mmCIF file of all heavy atoms in Angstrom:
data_model
loop_
_atom_site.group_PDB
_atom_site.id
_atom_site.type_symbol
_atom_site.label_atom_id
_atom_site.label_comp_id
_atom_site.label_asym_id
_atom_site.label_seq_id
_atom_site.Cartn_x
_atom_site.Cartn_y
_atom_site.Cartn_z
ATOM 1 N N GLU A 24 6.993 14.906 19.052
ATOM 2 C CA GLU A 24 7.874 14.297 18.109
ATOM 3 C C GLU A 24 7.421 12.877 17.840
ATOM 4 O O GLU A 24 7.128 12.091 18.846
ATOM 5 C CB GLU A 24 9.314 14.298 18.543
ATOM 6 C CG GLU A 24 10.256 13.622 17.627
ATOM 7 C CD GLU A 24 11.672 13.540 18.230
ATOM 8 O OE1 GLU A 24 11.879 14.055 19.353
ATOM 9 O OE2 GLU A 24 12.562 13.000 17.495
ATOM 10 N N LEU A 25 7.260 12.440 16.626
ATOM 11 C CA LEU A 25 6.854 11.059 16.308
ATOM 12 C C LEU A 25 7.983 10.101 16.659
ATOM 13 O O LEU A 25 8.981 10.246 16.187
ATOM 14 C CB LEU A 25 6.464 10.935 14.815
ATOM 15 C CG LEU A 25 5.998 9.518 14.365
ATOM 16 C CD1 LEU A 25 4.663 9.207 15.066
ATOM 17 C CD2 LEU A 25 5.859 9.508 12.838
ATOM 18 N N LEU A 26 7.605 9.083 17.488
ATOM 19 C CA LEU A 26 8.623 8.067 17.957
ATOM 20 C C LEU A 26 8.553 6.783 17.147
ATOM 21 O O LEU A 26 9.492 6.233 16.816
ATOM 22 C CB LEU A 26 8.421 7.821 19.424
ATOM 23 C CG LEU A 26 8.451 9.027 20.387
ATOM 24 C CD1 LEU A 26 8.182 8.572 21.783
ATOM 25 C CD2 LEU A 26 9.732 9.789 20.277
ATOM 26 N N ASP A 27 7.226 6.414 16.885
ATOM 27 C CA ASP A 27 7.069 5.154 16.170
ATOM 28 C C ASP A 27 5.565 5.010 15.805
ATOM 29 O O ASP A 27 4.725 5.719 16.330
ATOM 30 C CB ASP A 27 7.435 3.901 17.020
ATOM 31 C CG ASP A 27 7.529 2.627 16.261
ATOM 32 O OD1 ASP A 27 7.764 2.730 14.965
ATOM 33 O OD2 ASP A 27 7.420 1.592 16.872
ATOM 34 N N ASP A 28 5.281 4.196 14.798
ATOM 35 C CA ASP A 28 3.929 3.837 14.417
ATOM 36 C C ASP A 28 3.768 2.371 14.797
ATOM 37 O O ASP A 28 4.356 1.451 14.187
ATOM 38 C CB ASP A 28 3.774 4.047 12.883
ATOM 39 C CG ASP A 28 2.411 3.702 12.448
ATOM 40 O OD1 ASP A 28 1.522 3.381 13.303
ATOM 41 O OD2 ASP A 28 2.184 3.774 11.188
ATOM 42 N N GLY A 29 3.091 2.115 15.952
ATOM 43 C CA GLY A 29 2.982 0.765 16.428
ATOM 44 C C GLY A 29 1.595 0.365 16.937
ATOM 45 O O GLY A 29 0.598 0.976 16.584
ATOM 46 N N LEU A 30 1.522 -0.597 17.815
ATOM 47 C CA LEU A 30 0.257 -1.035 18.385
ATOM 48 C C LEU A 30 0.315 -0.758 19.874
ATOM 49 O O LEU A 30 1.340 -0.856 20.516
ATOM 50 C CB LEU A 30 0.099 -2.518 18.104
ATOM 51 C CG LEU A 30 0.066 -2.970 16.604
ATOM 52 C CD1 LEU A 30 0.002 -4.475 16.522
ATOM 53 C CD2 LEU A 30 -1.122 -2.349 15.890
ATOM 54 N N VAL A 31 -0.889 -0.563 20.453
ATOM 55 C CA VAL A 31 -1.027 -0.327 21.893
ATOM 56 C C VAL A 31 -2.148 -1.224 22.435
ATOM 57 O O VAL A 31 -3.115 -1.549 21.731
ATOM 58 C CB VAL A 31 -1.278 1.089 22.289
ATOM 59 C CG1 VAL A 31 -0.050 1.959 21.898
ATOM 60 C CG2 VAL A 31 -2.539 1.692 21.544
ATOM 61 N N LEU A 32 -1.995 -1.663 23.653
ATOM 62 C CA LEU A 32 -3.038 -2.442 24.369
ATOM 63 C C LEU A 32 -3.245 -1.914 25.705
ATOM 64 O O LEU A 32 -2.253 -1.534 26.414
ATOM 65 C CB LEU A 32 -2.665 -3.916 24.381
ATOM 66 C CG LEU A 32 -2.676 -4.715 23.097
ATOM 67 C CD1 LEU A 32 -1.247 -4.846 22.558
ATOM 68 C CD2 LEU A 32 -3.241 -6.102 23.284
ATOM 69 N N TRP A 33 -4.446 -2.017 26.293
ATOM 70 C CA TRP A 33 -4.782 -1.581 27.603
ATOM 71 C C TRP A 33 -5.482 -2.705 28.308
ATOM 72 O O TRP A 33 -6.469 -3.287 27.877
ATOM 73 C CB TRP A 33 -5.732 -0.344 27.513
ATOM 74 C CG TRP A 33 -6.482 -0.011 28.735
ATOM 75 C CD1 TRP A 33 -7.857 0.136 28.856
ATOM 76 C CD2 TRP A 33 -5.908 0.369 30.006
ATOM 77 N NE1 TRP A 33 -8.110 0.516 30.111
ATOM 78 C CE2 TRP A 33 -6.994 0.682 30.879
ATOM 79 C CE3 TRP A 33 -4.599 0.507 30.409
ATOM 80 C CZ2 TRP A 33 -6.753 1.072 32.154
ATOM 81 C CZ3 TRP A 33 -4.397 0.739 31.763
ATOM 82 C CH2 TRP A 33 -5.481 1.126 32.614
ATOM 83 N N PHE A 34 -4.941 -3.008 29.513
ATOM 84 C CA PHE A 34 -5.488 -4.124 30.338
ATOM 85 C C PHE A 34 -5.777 -3.479 31.766
ATOM 86 O O PHE A 34 -4.852 -3.329 32.574
ATOM 87 C CB PHE A 34 -4.469 -5.220 30.550
ATOM 88 C CG PHE A 34 -3.999 -5.804 29.246
ATOM 89 C CD1 PHE A 34 -2.900 -5.344 28.637
ATOM 90 C CD2 PHE A 34 -4.772 -6.829 28.661
ATOM 91 C CE1 PHE A 34 -2.392 -5.925 27.443
ATOM 92 C CE2 PHE A 34 -4.306 -7.434 27.484
ATOM 93 C CZ PHE A 34 -3.158 -6.955 26.872
ATOM 94 N N PRO A 35 -7.006 -3.080 32.052
ATOM 95 C CA PRO A 35 -7.378 -2.576 33.385
ATOM 96 C C PRO A 35 -7.259 -3.700 34.428
ATOM 97 O O PRO A 35 -7.616 -4.847 34.216
ATOM 98 C CB PRO A 35 -8.787 -2.153 33.202
ATOM 99 C CG PRO A 35 -9.361 -2.894 32.079
ATOM 100 C CD PRO A 35 -8.242 -3.186 31.152
ATOM 101 N N GLY A 36 -6.720 -3.296 35.606
ATOM 102 C CA GLY A 36 -6.597 -4.294 36.682
ATOM 103 C C GLY A 36 -7.910 -4.513 37.376
ATOM 104 O O GLY A 36 -8.867 -3.778 37.113
ATOM 105 N N PRO A 37 -8.026 -5.456 38.302
ATOM 106 C CA PRO A 37 -6.922 -6.299 38.768
ATOM 107 C C PRO A 37 -6.735 -7.607 37.958
ATOM 108 O O PRO A 37 -5.852 -8.384 38.313
ATOM 109 C CB PRO A 37 -7.369 -6.670 40.202
ATOM 110 C CG PRO A 37 -8.886 -6.717 40.091
ATOM 111 C CD PRO A 37 -9.211 -5.636 39.075
ATOM 112 N N GLY A 38 -7.498 -7.834 36.897
ATOM 113 C CA GLY A 38 -7.447 -9.051 36.147
ATOM 114 C C GLY A 38 -6.333 -9.026 35.148
ATOM 115 O O GLY A 38 -6.508 -9.328 33.921
ATOM 116 N N THR A 39 -5.068 -8.776 35.557
ATOM 117 C CA THR A 39 -3.906 -8.719 34.663
ATOM 118 C C THR A 39 -2.832 -9.638 35.264
ATOM 119 O O THR A 39 -2.937 -10.120 36.405
ATOM 120 C CB THR A 39 -3.417 -7.303 34.478
ATOM 121 O OG1 THR A 39 -2.927 -6.842 35.788
ATOM 122 C CG2 THR A 39 -4.438 -6.416 33.961
ATOM 123 N N VAL A 40 -1.750 -9.767 34.573
ATOM 124 C CA VAL A 40 -0.703 -10.641 35.075
ATOM 125 C C VAL A 40 -0.031 -10.075 36.318
ATOM 126 O O VAL A 40 0.441 -10.857 37.157
ATOM 127 C CB VAL A 40 0.420 -10.877 33.972
ATOM 128 C CG1 VAL A 40 -0.116 -11.712 32.835
ATOM 129 C CG2 VAL A 40 0.975 -9.568 33.502
ATOM 130 N N THR A 41 -0.026 -8.766 36.526
ATOM 131 C CA THR A 41 0.508 -8.211 37.757
ATOM 132 C C THR A 41 -0.517 -7.871 38.769
ATOM 133 O O THR A 41 -0.202 -7.487 39.841
ATOM 134 C CB THR A 41 1.289 -6.867 37.397
ATOM 135 O OG1 THR A 41 0.392 -5.963 36.786
ATOM 136 C CG2 THR A 41 2.430 -7.085 36.409
ATOM 137 N N GLY A 42 -1.813 -7.879 38.385
ATOM 138 C CA GLY A 42 -2.913 -7.555 39.329
ATOM 139 C C GLY A 42 -3.052 -6.058 39.356
ATOM 140 O O GLY A 42 -3.837 -5.519 40.202
ATOM 141 N N GLU A 43 -2.369 -5.236 38.434
ATOM 142 C CA GLU A 43 -2.492 -3.849 38.409
ATOM 143 C C GLU A 43 -2.947 -3.449 37.005
ATOM 144 O O GLU A 43 -2.978 -4.258 36.091
ATOM 145 C CB GLU A 43 -1.131 -3.187 38.656
ATOM 146 C CG GLU A 43 -0.524 -3.583 40.022
ATOM 147 C CD GLU A 43 0.859 -2.958 40.133
ATOM 148 O OE1 GLU A 43 1.599 -2.773 39.096
ATOM 149 O OE2 GLU A 43 1.285 -2.747 41.272
ATOM 150 N N ASP A 44 -3.259 -2.106 36.830
ATOM 151 C CA ASP A 44 -3.485 -1.596 35.465
ATOM 152 C C ASP A 44 -2.173 -1.868 34.680
ATOM 153 O O ASP A 44 -1.122 -1.618 35.153
ATOM 154 C CB ASP A 44 -3.780 -0.118 35.565
ATOM 155 C CG ASP A 44 -5.117 0.222 35.995
ATOM 156 O OD1 ASP A 44 -5.950 -0.783 36.190
ATOM 157 O OD2 ASP A 44 -5.461 1.369 36.412
ATOM 158 N N LEU A 45 -2.396 -2.244 33.421
ATOM 159 C CA LEU A 45 -1.236 -2.643 32.614
ATOM 160 C C LEU A 45 -1.395 -2.138 31.165
ATOM 161 O O LEU A 45 -2.517 -2.161 30.604
ATOM 162 C CB LEU A 45 -1.102 -4.168 32.569
ATOM 163 C CG LEU A 45 0.085 -4.765 31.994
ATOM 164 C CD1 LEU A 45 1.250 -4.770 33.039
ATOM 165 C CD2 LEU A 45 -0.060 -6.230 31.546
ATOM 166 N N ALA A 46 -0.315 -1.605 30.592
ATOM 167 C CA ALA A 46 -0.343 -1.129 29.236
ATOM 168 C C ALA A 46 0.857 -1.748 28.484
ATOM 169 O O ALA A 46 1.876 -2.011 29.116
ATOM 170 C CB ALA A 46 -0.271 0.406 29.183
ATOM 171 N N GLU A 47 0.643 -1.942 27.124
ATOM 172 C CA GLU A 47 1.744 -2.475 26.344
ATOM 173 C C GLU A 47 1.858 -1.652 25.081
ATOM 174 O O GLU A 47 0.853 -1.288 24.467
ATOM 175 C CB GLU A 47 1.525 -3.968 26.011
ATOM 176 C CG GLU A 47 1.733 -4.900 27.115
ATOM 177 C CD GLU A 47 1.642 -6.406 26.752
ATOM 178 O OE1 GLU A 47 1.332 -6.630 25.519
ATOM 179 O OE2 GLU A 47 1.815 -7.303 27.616
ATOM 180 N N PHE A 48 3.097 -1.366 24.698
ATOM 181 C CA PHE A 48 3.476 -0.791 23.481
ATOM 182 C C PHE A 48 4.193 -1.798 22.617
ATOM 183 O O PHE A 48 5.224 -2.267 23.017
ATOM 184 C CB PHE A 48 4.406 0.507 23.733
ATOM 185 C CG PHE A 48 3.675 1.574 24.489
ATOM 186 C CD1 PHE A 48 3.877 1.564 25.905
ATOM 187 C CD2 PHE A 48 3.016 2.618 23.935
ATOM 188 C CE1 PHE A 48 3.238 2.540 26.675
ATOM 189 C CE2 PHE A 48 2.446 3.575 24.710
ATOM 190 C CZ PHE A 48 2.591 3.553 26.102
ATOM 191 N N HIS A 49 3.642 -2.071 21.462
ATOM 192 C CA HIS A 49 4.310 -3.035 20.526
ATOM 193 C C HIS A 49 4.978 -2.189 19.433
ATOM 194 O O HIS A 49 4.223 -1.550 18.619
ATOM 195 C CB HIS A 49 3.280 -3.973 19.958
ATOM 196 C CG HIS A 49 2.701 -4.956 20.952
ATOM 197 N ND1 HIS A 49 2.472 -6.319 20.700
ATOM 198 C CD2 HIS A 49 2.274 -4.776 22.261
ATOM 199 C CE1 HIS A 49 2.023 -6.846 21.803
ATOM 200 N NE2 HIS A 49 1.928 -5.950 22.746
ATOM 201 N N LEU A 50 6.287 -2.265 19.390
ATOM 202 C CA LEU A 50 7.074 -1.296 18.604
ATOM 203 C C LEU A 50 7.826 -2.021 17.474
ATOM 204 O O LEU A 50 8.014 -3.229 17.559
ATOM 205 C CB LEU A 50 8.009 -0.506 19.532
ATOM 206 C CG LEU A 50 7.479 0.070 20.829
ATOM 207 C CD1 LEU A 50 8.645 0.543 21.746
ATOM 208 C CD2 LEU A 50 6.494 1.149 20.579
ATOM 209 N N HIS A 51 8.379 -1.255 16.562
ATOM 210 C CA HIS A 51 9.399 -1.789 15.741
ATOM 211 C C HIS A 51 10.607 -1.987 16.565
ATOM 212 O O HIS A 51 10.918 -1.182 17.445
ATOM 213 C CB HIS A 51 9.734 -0.764 14.517
ATOM 214 C CG HIS A 51 8.591 -0.681 13.602
ATOM 215 N ND1 HIS A 51 7.653 0.314 13.716
ATOM 216 C CD2 HIS A 51 8.224 -1.444 12.468
ATOM 217 C CE1 HIS A 51 6.744 0.125 12.663
ATOM 218 N NE2 HIS A 51 7.109 -0.920 11.948
ATOM 219 N N GLY A 52 11.347 -3.103 16.364
ATOM 220 C CA GLY A 52 12.334 -3.528 17.366
ATOM 221 C C GLY A 52 13.715 -2.968 17.277
ATOM 222 O O GLY A 52 14.690 -3.617 17.618
ATOM 223 N N GLY A 53 13.938 -1.836 16.725
ATOM 224 C CA GLY A 53 15.230 -1.212 16.687
ATOM 225 C C GLY A 53 15.651 -0.599 18.031
ATOM 226 O O GLY A 53 14.756 -0.185 18.788
ATOM 227 N N ARG A 54 16.907 -0.540 18.211
ATOM 228 C CA ARG A 54 17.416 0.010 19.519
ATOM 229 C C ARG A 54 16.983 1.502 19.762
ATOM 230 O O ARG A 54 16.562 1.856 20.823
ATOM 231 C CB ARG A 54 18.896 0.000 19.576
ATOM 232 C CG ARG A 54 19.492 -1.444 19.697
ATOM 233 C CD ARG A 54 20.973 -1.431 19.916
ATOM 234 N NE ARG A 54 21.521 -2.790 20.001
ATOM 235 C CZ ARG A 54 21.988 -3.512 19.018
ATOM 236 N NH1 ARG A 54 22.000 -2.987 17.834
ATOM 237 N NH2 ARG A 54 22.451 -4.735 19.214
ATOM 238 N N ALA A 55 17.040 2.301 18.679
ATOM 239 C CA ALA A 55 16.683 3.696 18.826
ATOM 240 C C ALA A 55 15.230 3.898 19.128
ATOM 241 O O ALA A 55 14.831 4.754 19.879
ATOM 242 C CB ALA A 55 17.084 4.459 17.541
ATOM 243 N N VAL A 56 14.347 3.132 18.462
ATOM 244 C CA VAL A 56 12.909 3.165 18.783
ATOM 245 C C VAL A 56 12.666 2.883 20.218
ATOM 246 O O VAL A 56 11.921 3.586 20.911
ATOM 247 C CB VAL A 56 12.139 2.191 17.842
ATOM 248 C CG1 VAL A 56 10.634 2.193 18.212
ATOM 249 C CG2 VAL A 56 12.331 2.622 16.348
#
C-alpha cells in the first residue's frame, strides 16, 4: 500500500550523529502520513 511520496536518505555508520547506521524518511507532515 502506498503510504507517501517523499524523500529518503541513507547514512552508513559510524560517521553519523548516533555512531550507527542511520536512515531518514522526509514525509508530507500530516498526522495520518
Side-chain angles (χ1 to χ4, degrees):
E24 179 184 3
L25 181 65
L26 305 178
D27 193 24
D28 182 1
L30 301 175
V31 294
L32 290 99
W33 164 238
F34 303 94
T39 65
V40 293
T41 61
E43 304 173 333
D44 288 348
L45 192 80
E47 287 185 356
F48 297 89
H49 293 223
L50 316 169
H51 293 94
R54 291 188 180 90
V56 173

